Amino acid sequence: MSSFHVGGKVVEKVDLLKKKHWAWRFDVWPFAILYAVWLATIVPSLDFVDAAIVFGGLVALHILVLLFTAWSVDFKCFVQYSKVNNIYQADACKVTPAKFSGSKEVVHLHFRNLVTGSASSGDAEEICFDFRKQRFIYSKERGTFSKLLYPTKEIFGQYLKSTGHGTEAKVATATEKWGRNVFDYPQPTFQKLMKEHCMEPFFVFQVFCVGLWCLDEYWYYSVFTLFMLFMFESTMAKSRLKTLTELRRVRVDSQTLMVYRCGKWVKHSGTELLPGDVVSIGRPTAQTGDDKTVPADMLILAGSAIVNEAILTGESTPQWKVSMAGRGADEKLSIKRDKNHVLFGGTKILQHTADKSFPLKTPDGGCVAVVLRTGFETNQGKLMRTILFSTERVTANSWESGLFILFLVVFAVIAAGYVLVKGLEDPTRSKYKLLLSCSLIVTSVIPPELPMELSIAVNTSLIALARRGIFCTEPFRIPFAGKVDLCCFDKTGTLTSDDMEFRGVGGLSDCEELETEMSKVSARTLEILASCHALVFVDNKLVGDPLEKAALKGIDWSYKSDEKALPKRGNGNAVQIVQRHHFASHLKRMSVIVRIQEEYFAFVKGAPETIQDRLVDVPAAYVETYKRYTRQGSRVLALAFKPLPDMMVSEARNMDRDAVESGLTFAGFAVFNCPIRTDSATVLLELKNSSHDLTMITGDQALTACHVASQVHIVSKPILILSASRSGDGYKWMSPDEREIIPYSDKEVNVLAETHDLCIGGDSIEMLLATSAVLRVIPFVKVFARVAPQQKELILTTFKTVGRVTLMCGDGTNDVGALKQAHVGVALLNAIPPSPSGSSPSEPSKDDNAKSKSRKPRAALEAADKTANPSKEGSSKGKMVTAQNRHLTAAEMQRQKLKKMMEELNEEGDGRAAPVVKLGDASMASPFTAKHASVAPTTDIIRQGRSTLVTTLQMFKILGLNCLATAYVLSVMYLDGVKLGDVQATISGVFTAAFFLFISHARPLPTLSAERPHPSVFSLYLFLSLLGQFAVHLIFLMFSVKEAEKYMPEECIEPDAAFHPNLVNTVSYMVSMMLQVATFAVNYMGHPFNQSIMENRPFFYALMGGVGFFTVIASDLFRDLNDSLKLVPLPPGMRDKLLLWAALMFVICYSWERLLRWAFPGKIPAWEERQRVVEANLEKKKKV
């Protein structure tokens, strides 16, 4: 079998290869034959020049083949390797990564003899390869490669029995299997990175073009372009070097830990830890230094710890990590679900408590933990990999740009073919000059600025977002943000504030009103609120869930660091917490065992519907009461308790969780107000008005979720909630007030969604999965309530399957899966107040922060832009060079232009490279991390995404028009002996570079428009626009040249002669300049996405400079200037005609473009059709 389907998150497919002997490679023997044929037959039969041309062609082809092996992995495999079916014959493999995980690579296949721990089994052979810092092992049983397994999915009983690696042989085996616990990646040198950049296809192509221009004697132009390219590439290489150096600073902490190996506790460095090691870990004492981090991902077996996970999740609220002691011995560990038992690498322990009753005693009083994952497999390692492997070069729509250039190349080849055929008809013409001109036509299709422009479009957005405190680890997602048509939001902590308000206690009497006077509430209820929580003291400060802090404050109790709760006034009893069972999202409840005056109680709180099933006696108005409060948008928790028999503390700690949380007595409902953030409604209304659909995905109760959804414009029609019938016979749709009831049928959901907004809960999603109705229902739902984290992921994948481009906005802790699944995931770090600044000191001043808070993004953006672009004032002056310093020589003009471009390239560190994303700025949760306590960043990201999309689209249009016109000028006119002078070509190039640069600096408008950008280059609008404008340009060109020919004396122009000024050349140069200016002016996409031409000052001045330059040279005001440009005077009537035609051409093109924009507006994609197709395909598969 020559290829294996892996189908993981990282690797899709692996092909087996064997390296060929160097003599049998396709880049060696075919060329050896060709060179021999050239020597034997071509050299004797042709004259020296023709033979040299053939030899030059052969060498160019050989170099191209060698370069292609560097550019294309598939081509490299074809040339240098042969496919093999037997894995034992292979010595390398081609790895095809999963979508969006980077590009293909050829990696070495390693065959190793493993020393197994036991003597009887002998040496086992292992076949593996390393790809992107992960190891993949060949499994004979499964017949494919799979990721190297770590002990992360064992049953809890297995972990409890762990005693670490028992012998030195086992330690050696584990070291060989998993390697050292380090982040090792080589630091590349500037020379190596520069070489890599100079091998890029675009760069090589441009150097080749420069060579051709030199041969055609365009010296100035060639040197100008080459210098610009080298400067751009070196700044890019320098910035990548900076990023990689920054990342290398992140190391595994090499603190010394106590590790239980070979039956005794020994000291080892953190970098020597191995999966399976049992270690003692805690907060370092003052002597050992304070700033130590957890060296690997580990599961706590005994003890508990308070940990700051900000470096991974960005969430600054410390997390409480507890031992897995109370878990069932046969339960399997799931790191996603059981993260409250796991210490993650890179996080900081703020405080720890050892468990003295655990059989394995630690010598230093730390918590006992077993190491699960090390190195790049830890959560921190994964985040490192994401950042490390997405620092590759950024471009927008790279496959689209390739196809579009291919489309243009077709036109160029036709034009070159025309020149070749016509040229060969004339036997007197030089073959060398003819081939040169044909090559120039084909290469003129791609301007040297293209790769820069595509990078600049994305990087401008990255820099603008970083200034607003939004960091991106996967830059290719920015253009996706412009295509988003569905925005999903988490509710708690995202749309609503984290500052909870305790309203009171309900459900204890027949009175409908909440009891807000705490003295009238039963003592037992107050004791539950005071002690059933996960609050903790860190450095004498109470930290934890805002809801639990609000409850403690509301009942006026205090909580001490010795885990004891006391009433601040009155004579209530102190409550001592003995054991906690922490909140788990899959259980929707938490519990504590407490001691009050030598009596033991179990106190439980959780979702009302969960607690209902665990009560001995359910009050008659139970359901009606909690629903009444949730309809008002309140957060409701049910409280319950049960007395426990007299017992020892150790017995209480070992009680089974299920036994603690069953047979309960109801103690009331705690009701909390969850204020909606001040800007949530305005932000979501803006999104709704800008052609986006909105949905809410929350773990909260359905009625609460529907109430909040109606407040923030997610729902506007009557709401229906899907719930199970009380009789248990199926499901029905029910309005929140239960007045409207409609039987459920998955076939009628799409019809129902036209008149109602639908809401479903997590239990309904389970039913949809069981009945295979997920695709029929989920795409039409507006509110998802009581969903578990895994279900959030399922919802997002379903939306993607039916063709929606999704944005998910949530916090970095519970929504990780959904944020990763969305096309654009935005993790909000609530702890940090909004500010437009990033983390570097050279950021905007505090005034901008105030502006940002008042949601005037434009003011902040403009202020930020001025800060970041110190050279802008100076640079805009440079554009008027022609108007101000008319006596400058062409060379001086280039120098000024270059200086300005270099300033542009070097500002902001380098200005063109994406800002360095640091650990702590990025969250492992999602591609975008926003340091804002508000949903406003979603509009910023979408605005930047639309801006990038529009900018790249207009670049392609302008490129297309320029190329088509250039192909015509170089072909038809070349045959008539018309060519451009060196200085003329240079000035034309300078203007194009300036226009492109300033186009990409257009900032998005502060408000999102209802009109959407076209998502792809390949649309009817674009092609009609291109063809219409090209036709007008062509007619203008032809008429102008014909007009000029009338005034030309009947002299014969030699096509291959050196350039000399004449009227046709002068006219064609002026016309091409005018076309250039018109193309940029007409196709600039300003409102409703970006600034208009007038608002984009640099671009406006550059355009005015172009128009002014054209007018000056056409009206022949300064004869010296025209002489230096090798332009001849125009006949009297000709000048007026030219200016009039130019104006007419501009008006026609402008009107045609505006007409097409009106006729083809961007719309939300019709996803319903896609949904029907996907569903039909699924049905077919089932039948098969």
Side-chain angles (χ1 to χ4, degrees), residues 467-468 833-838 840-854 859-860 863-864 867:
R467 281 195 208 115
R468 297 182 68 73
S835 94
S837 68
S840 66
S842 61
E843 293 294 318
S845 62
K846 286 180 183 139
D847 312 72
D848 295 343
N849 295 14
K851 283 176 192 161
S852 170
K853 279 179 195 153
S854 64
T867 324

Side-chain angles (χ1 to χ4, degrees), residues 426-544:
D426 181 357
T428 60
R429 295 190 69 161
S430 156
K431 304 276 191 305
Y432 161 70
K433 286 277 188 186
L434 190 62
L435 280 171
L436 187 63
S437 62
C438 289
S439 310
L440 277 169
I441 291 168
V442 177
T443 55
S444 69
V445 169
I446 308 168
E449 300 86 23
L450 178 73
M452 290 193 220
E453 302 314 333
L454 293 181
S455 299
I456 287 170
V458 172
N459 288 337
T460 308
S461 292
L462 284 177
I463 292 165
L465 288 173
R467 281 195 208 115
R468 297 182 68 73
I470 302 165
F471 298 92
C472 176
T473 52
E474 297 173 11
F476 69 81
R477 291 186 187 267
I478 285 198
F480 274 116
K483 303 178 191 179
V484 165
D485 56 27
L486 175 72
C487 301
C488 311
F489 292 92
D490 174 40
K491 180 183 83 72
T492 315
T494 302
L495 294 170
T496 58
S497 161
D498 269 342
D499 305 323
M500 297 282 183
E501 295 164 6
F502 178 65
R503 282 181 60 193
V505 177
L508 287 174
S509 62
D510 297 335
C511 174
E512 283 199 8
E513 290 303 308
L514 273 177
E515 186 55 75
T516 52
E517 186 53 60
M518 289 301 116
S519 56
K520 295 179 183 172
V521 176
S522 77
R524 193 64 72 232
T525 305
L526 294 177
E527 286 163 2
I528 297 172
L529 282 168
S531 60
C532 190
H533 55 64
L535 297 174
V536 64
F537 276 88
V538 175
D539 298 331
N540 296 323
K541 192 174 165 217
L542 192 64
V543 296

Side-chain angles (χ1 to χ4, degrees), residues 454-640:
L454 293 181
S455 299
I456 287 170
V458 172
N459 288 337
T460 308
S461 292
L462 284 177
I463 292 165
L465 288 173
R467 281 195 208 115
R468 297 182 68 73
I470 302 165
F471 298 92
C472 176
T473 52
E474 297 173 11
F476 69 81
R477 291 186 187 267
I478 285 198
F480 274 116
K483 303 178 191 179
V484 165
D485 56 27
L486 175 72
C487 301
C488 311
F489 292 92
D490 174 40
K491 180 183 83 72
T492 315
T494 302
L495 294 170
T496 58
S497 161
D498 269 342
D499 305 323
M500 297 282 183
E501 295 164 6
F502 178 65
R503 282 181 60 193
V505 177
L508 287 174
S509 62
D510 297 335
C511 174
E512 283 199 8
E513 290 303 308
L514 273 177
E515 186 55 75
T516 52
E517 186 53 60
M518 289 301 116
S519 56
K520 295 179 183 172
V521 176
S522 77
R524 193 64 72 232
T525 305
L526 294 177
E527 286 163 2
I528 297 172
L529 282 168
S531 60
C532 190
H533 55 64
L535 297 174
V536 64
F537 276 88
V538 175
D539 298 331
N540 296 323
K541 192 174 165 217
L542 192 64
V543 296
D545 188 338
L547 178 131
E548 295 174 337
K549 281 159 86 175
L552 205 60
K553 186 180 166 195
I555 60 171
D556 205 23
W557 277 51
S558 65
Y559 179 68
K560 301 284 180 253
S561 55
D562 58 356
E563 302 205 332
K564 194 178 274 184
L566 300 157
K568 284 187 181 172
R569 55 175 83 94
N571 53 0
N573 295 316
V575 183
Q576 176 68 56
I577 298 169
V578 177
Q579 171 70 355
R580 274 190 176 91
H581 293 291
H582 285 259
F583 175 79
S585 57
H586 62 290
L587 298 175
K588 301 188 183 118
R589 61 179 186 269
M590 81 161 285
S591 60
V592 289
I593 297 175
V594 298
R595 191 173 64 226
I596 306 171
Q597 291 182 321
E598 300 309 312
E599 277 188 85
Y600 284 90
F601 290 92
F603 287 168
V604 185
K605 72 173 182 192
E609 61 270 35
T610 307
I611 301 296
Q612 184 179 355
D613 302 334
R614 302 192 156 260
L615 296 177
V616 177
D617 184 23
V618 180
Y622 183 93
V623 176
E624 177 50 45
T625 308
Y626 84 73
K627 283 193 173 176
R628 184 170 66 247
Y629 298 130
T630 51
R631 276 188 204 110
Q632 297 162 8
S634 295
R635 180 109 180 254
V636 179
L637 292 175
L639 310 175

